[in-house]
Structure formats: structure tokens, C-alpha cells
């Protein structure tokens, strides 16, 4: 039996597992439910179910016995942080080396195919993370929706709401965002929408999902919406720049990648890439692989090998 390696991307909506052999060939892939929290018995059971489900599916596809499989190395990255999950994983998995880490590290590893570089993640929130050739890492941002997450989806909607409040009260320019947001939120006024956003009817992901309206308005020529996207691009580029300054010498080559729903905006992405590439040495582009492939690469890294990945599922390319 060849040495086996496991990579798992544990997120807020789903969990993905990949099993590879020592040559880098992916033998099996599996999906499970969300596993970002383990607080309380219910959270622990949900977490264990997600891990066993996705690893079990990957084992089945690879022709392996999930109850008996042993991995030379396994890496699992989680959006909810790794600290409270290691003990549970040690009971569930047999692995010679077990790496339990953050979603930022596996996103970076996948995005740069294991090369030194920087990843900017902008979904509901935002964070930039990097690693240089010596293995040193650094981060910037990711401080949550109250104190940070600049340029993320929640922040884009927050800036849009501020703009329509100013429009409504007469101390800001008119914007098409007002009609669009009021319709989407079922509100009679910007003030009404503001109060709705404070209720449980609008959890953070729902508020963040309205960021798509900022992009739509900008594409239709609304200048207020365009400036909101430009400002977000500047904030995200500043996060990437802060990580670069901590890890790379001036002019030193560094791969800069991006991931997350905010970057679906053409206007924001074009401005972000242009700003990042102003820094000499930066090469900015989309991710090479997804986070689950990044976790698998980190499992190989833990074992001291660097194979080329082959037979990846389409979702990870």
C-alpha cells in the first residue's frame, strides 16, 4: 500500500476532503456539511459528522476502507480556527503527522500552488495572509465586521447603506443604490432598512449578499457605487501590501492571488490587480488551486515532499 495523504477544507457552508498518493495523484474526493464550530455537544457532533462524511466519501472513491485507512500526513484547515478541533481530530483520524490550521493557510497554499506568496480573501469579511521562502507567515486584517473586514461583502453593503442614508437626508449625492437596496430589503426608507439590518432577519451573510447590488449599480454607471468599489479595492490592496512588507524584500518576486465572492466584481478586481501590481515584484492572478488542494499540498509539505498534483476534481482547479 503506498503512502496516503489527506487534505481537508472545513468551511462555514461545506467541507471538502482530498486523498492523494505519494506521487501527487488524487485518488478520491468527498463532500460534507459545515464544520467551523464545535462548541457544545451539538456542534461537536456536527463537526464529527462533516469530517467523517467527507473523508468517508473520499475513501470510497479511492477504494479504501475508511475504518482502517491510515495517512502518512493529514492537513485540515478551518474557517472557525483550529484551536478547539485538534483533540477531536486526533480521535477520528490515524495520521503519522497531523496539521490543524486556518483556512487562510490552505487558501494561500492552493492559490500559489505551494509557492511563496500572498492571498487576499474577501467574502463576507476580509483578510490577507502570506508566506515567504523561509516559511515565515504574516497576516493583515480579518478582525471581524465591527472592527475590520475592510473591503469584504458586509463592508460593501455597509458603505452602500451609509451612502443611501446621506442621499435620503440630503447631505450626499443621489445614487441608484437607494432604490435597489430598499427593494431588496423590503424597506420603505433608508432609515427603515438600517433598523432592519439590526434584527435577526438580516444576519451578516444576508447583509453581505447585498454587495452584489453595489456592483450592479456601478456597472450601470452609478458613480457612488463605483467609488465604493474603488475604495474597497484600495483597502484590500493595502492589506496585501501590508503582508508583503512583513515578508518580502523590496522588488523580491511574490505571487499575489485573490479568492472570495467580492472579486466577482469586474470593476473591483481590475482596480485591485492594478494597485497590487504597482508594487515591484508582485505577480497578481487568480488561484491555481482551491483550498482543499492547498490542504493536500500542506500535508505533503509536512512530510517533506513536493509532488505535482494530478487528477484534481474540477472544483479544485
Amino acid at each position: 500500500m503506498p503512502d496516503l495523504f489527506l487534505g481537508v477544507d472545513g468551511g462555514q457552508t461545506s467541507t471538502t476532503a482530498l486523498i492523494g498518493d505519494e506521487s501527487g495523484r488524487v485518488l478520491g474526493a468527498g463532500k460534507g456539511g459545515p464544520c467551523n464550530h464545535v462548541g457544545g455537544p451539538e456542534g461537536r457532533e456536527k463537526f464529527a459528522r462533516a469530517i467523517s462524511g467527507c473523508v468517508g466519501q473520499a475513501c470510497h472513491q479511492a477504494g479504501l476502507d475508511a475504518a482502517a485507512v491510515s495517512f502518512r500526513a493529514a492537513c485540515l484547515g478551518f474557517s472557525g480556527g483550529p484551536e478547539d478541533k485538534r483533540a477531536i481530530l486526533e480521535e477520528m483520524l490515524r495520521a503519522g503527522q497531523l496539521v490543524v490550521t486556518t483556512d487562510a493557510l490552505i487558501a494561500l497554499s492552493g492559490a500559489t500552488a505551494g509557492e511563496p506568496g500572498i492571498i487576499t480573501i474577501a467574502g463576507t469579511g476580509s483578510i490577507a495572509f502570506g508566506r515567504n521562502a523561509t516559511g515565515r507567515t504574516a497576516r493583515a486584517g480579518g478582525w471581524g465586521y465591527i472592527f475590520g473586514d475592510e473591503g469584504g461583502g458586509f463592508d460593501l453593503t455597509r458603505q452602500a447603506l451609509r451612502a443611501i442614508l446621506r442621499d435620503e437626508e440630503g447631505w450626499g449625492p443621489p445614487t441608484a443604490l437607494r432604490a435597489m437596496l430598499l427593494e431588496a430589503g423590503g424597506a420603505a426608507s433608508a432609515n427603515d432598512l438600517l433598523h432592519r439590518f439590526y434584527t435577526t432577519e438580516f444576519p451578516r451573510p444576508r447583509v453581505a449578499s447585498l454587495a452584489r447590488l453595489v456592483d450592479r449599480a456601478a456597472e450601470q454607471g452609478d458613480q457612488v457605487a463605483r467609488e465604493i468599489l474603488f475604495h474597497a479595492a484600495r483597502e484590500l490592496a493595502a492589506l496585501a501590501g501590508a503582508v508583503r512588507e512583513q515578508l518580502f524584500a523590496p522588488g523580491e518576486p511574490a505571487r499575489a492571488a485573490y479568492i472570495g465572492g467580492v472579486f466577482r466584481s469586474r470593476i473591483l478586481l481590475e482596480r485591485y490587480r492594478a494597485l497590487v501590481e504597482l508594487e515591484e515584484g508582485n505577480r497578481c492572478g487568480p488561484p491555481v488551486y482551491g483550498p482543499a488542494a492547498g490542504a493536500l499540498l500542506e500535508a505533503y509539505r509536512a512530510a517533506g515532499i513536493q509532488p505535482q498534483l494530478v487528477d484534481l476534481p474540477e472544483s479544485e482547479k
Side-chain angles (χ1 to χ4, degrees):
M1 172 71 70
D3 287 339
L4 298 172
F5 298 82
L6 172 68
V8 174
D9 169 28
Q12 298 182 33
T13 57
S14 65
T15 303
T16 303
L18 296 176
I19 294 174
D21 64 17
E22 58 191 3
S23 73
R25 184 165 66 94
V26 175
L27 305 175
K31 287 280 187 182
C35 66
N36 54 314
H37 296 296
V38 296
E42 182 178 338
R44 183 186 174 101
E45 290 173 12
K46 188 176 181 182
F47 175 82
R49 201 161 50 242
I51 296 297
S52 62
C54 68
V55 174
Q57 282 185 26
C59 285
H60 177 74
Q61 192 177 103
L64 301 168
D65 181 357
V69 67
S70 179
F71 301 101
R72 178 175 167 184
C75 174
L76 301 93
F78 299 102
S79 61
E83 294 81 7
D84 54 354
K85 302 175 177 71
R86 174 173 282 277
I88 303 172
L89 293 167
E90 286 175 344
E91 294 176 7
M92 296 182 64
L93 300 172
R94 285 183 292 277
Q97 292 173 282
L98 179 64
V99 178
V100 186
T101 186
T102 66
D103 59 338
L105 177 61
I106 63 172
L108 170 68
S109 188
T112 66
E115 291 182 19
I118 303 159
I119 180 80
T120 303
I121 306 170
T124 297
S126 66
I127 189 172
F129 183 81
R131 182 169 60 191
N132 63 18
T134 70
R136 189 160 63 89
T137 62
R139 62 171 277 178
W143 303 120
Y145 75 105
I146 295 177
F147 299 110
D149 283 350
E150 296 86 354
F154 185 91
D155 186 48
L156 283 170
T157 304
R158 175 170 50 196
Q159 300 303 331
L161 178 58
R162 287 173 173 171
I164 71 171
L165 284 163
R166 291 191 292 267
D167 177 7
E168 190 169 276
E169 294 176 350
W171 57 289
T175 171
L177 286 169
R178 184 172 183 273
M180 296 168 75
L181 281 172
L182 296 187
E183 181 182 2
S189 68
N191 189 54
D192 179 25
L193 184 60
L194 167 71
H195 286 86
R196 287 173 183 249
F197 280 179
Y198 280 122
T199 69
T200 56
E201 181 186 357
F202 281 89
R204 287 196 301 278
R206 185 178 180 189
V207 173
S209 72
L210 298 177
R212 70 187 186 280
L213 300 178
V214 181
D215 184 56
R216 186 182 304 168
E219 288 285 1
Q220 293 171 359
D222 187 89
Q223 290 304 307
V224 171
R226 286 180 68 86
E227 182 48 45
I228 290 172
L229 293 180
F230 288 166
H231 178 75
R234 291 193 294 270
E235 297 277 27
L236 294 170
L239 293 178
V243 170
R244 181 187 167 88
E245 188 172 345
Q246 295 179 68
L247 296 176
F248 299 93
E252 182 182 357
R255 186 165 195 152
Y258 46 84
I259 191 171
V262 162
F263 290 111
R264 295 192 187 108
S265 166
R266 177 189 61 83
I267 294 170
L268 183 149
L269 177 58
E270 287 179 358
R271 180 58 62 94
Y272 169 81
R273 290 186 66 167
L275 290 169
V276 169
E277 290 183 340
L278 285 175
E279 180 71 42
E280 184 182 357
N282 279 350
R283 295 172 293 123
C284 188
V288 179
Y289 303 129
L296 184 58
L297 285 170
E298 287 301 299
Y300 289 124
R301 181 186 178 93
I305 59 176
Q306 295 181 297
Q308 294 290 318
L309 297 183
V310 294
D311 293 343
L312 270 173
E314 286 298 322
S315 61
E316 286 298 307
K317 294 179 181 178

